[in-house]
Amino acid sequence: MAIVTFEQTLAESVRARRVAEHLTQADLADLAGVSERFVRSLEHGKPTVRLESLLAVLRTLGLDLAVTGRRRETQGAEGPESQGGGIR
């Protein structure tokens, strides 16, 4: 089973909304006040983007960024050391 990353989900959401709004990448960039290169990078799932620019694109598309808690994996009684150590 392939794991979908946050970056992939964000890229797909932005691209889908842009296409649904009949906007080109250049149109979106102009409306959001960012570069066309930024929009391309965002839609390709670049893992590092400027938050201010990301929020401008999302606002332009009528999308919101939400922060939610993640459910932690339950560790064995012996803790992470029993699972090979390290951080997950």
Side-chain angles (χ1 to χ4, degrees), residues 1-76:
M1 178 192 289
I3 296 175
V4 178
T5 66
F6 169 77
E7 293 87 352
Q8 291 168 322
T9 301
L10 180 62
E12 291 169 10
S13 297
V14 168
R15 185 180 312 107
R17 180 60 70 97
R18 176 182 62 77
V19 169
E21 295 293 327
H22 306 288
L23 297 171
T24 65
Q25 289 178 336
D27 293 336
L28 177 56
D30 288 342
L31 291 170
V34 300
S35 70
E36 188 175 345
R37 181 179 177 186
F38 178 83
V39 174
R40 275 194 313 273
S41 296
L42 182 58
E43 288 189 4
H44 280 94
K46 182 179 178 192
T48 57
V49 294
R50 186 178 178 125
L51 181 60
E52 179 180 5
S53 298
L54 170 60
L55 293 175
V57 168
L58 295 178
R59 261 192 309 274
T60 301
L61 292 172
L63 298 173
D64 291 319
L65 181 64
V67 178
T68 59
R70 254 191 283 184
R71 200 169 53 159
R72 290 183 159 176
E73 290 183 33
T74 306
Q75 296 177 355

